[in-house]
Amino acid sequence: MIIRLLKPAQAELDEAVAWYADQAPGLGDAFLLETLKAIKLIEQFPRAWHPLTPQIRRCRLRRFPYSVVYTVDGDDLLVLAIAHQHRKLAIGAAG
C-alpha cells in the first residue's frame, strides 16, 4: 500500500510536531511517533476505524487530541488531515 499525505495534512503534522516540541523536550517526537504508528495501523487495517462518510475514516491518536483522517483509493492510503479533535473538520472539501 502506498501512503500519501495531502500537502495540508503534511502542514498540519509539521505544525503540531513543532507546537509539541515547544511545550516540552521530546514531546514533538512523541507526537510524530504516535502519528506514524497510527498510520502504520491504518495501513494494516484500513477499514477498522470510524467512518465519517462512506469513503473517509478517522483514527484517533491515543495520547494526543488528534486524528488521522484518511481514505483508501485502491492500493493507496491517502491521509487527508492530521486534525485536532476540538476543531471542526470540513469533510465536504476533502471528498
Side-chain angles (χ1 to χ4, degrees):
M1 182 171 278
I2 296 171
I3 302 168
R4 295 182 294 136
L5 273 74
L6 290 181
K7 285 184 182 181
Q10 183 64 57
E12 290 167 340
L13 178 60
D14 294 344
E15 288 172 16
V17 167
W19 189 85
Y20 280 113
D22 285 345
Q23 303 310 302
L27 198 55
D29 291 338
F31 177 80
L32 179 59
L33 288 174
E34 185 168 338
T35 303
L36 294 175
K37 184 175 160 184
I39 291 171
K40 187 68 172 170
L41 284 171
I42 293 166
E43 179 183 19
Q44 293 173 346
F45 308 103
R47 307 255 183 256
W49 282 272
H50 178 73
L52 298 174
T53 73
Q55 297 83 22
I56 299 171
R57 292 180 178 265
R58 173 183 64 204
C59 174
R60 291 182 184 210
L61 302 184
R62 292 180 185 260
R63 182 175 174 192
F64 299 92
Y66 278 81
S67 297
V68 177
V69 180
Y70 67 96
T71 188
V72 176
D73 183 22
D75 288 335
D76 291 351
L77 172 65
L78 182 60
V79 176
L80 306 172
I82 305 297
H84 193 284
Q85 292 175 13
H86 300 291
R87 292 187 194 146
K88 186 123 175 118
L89 183 63
I91 297 299

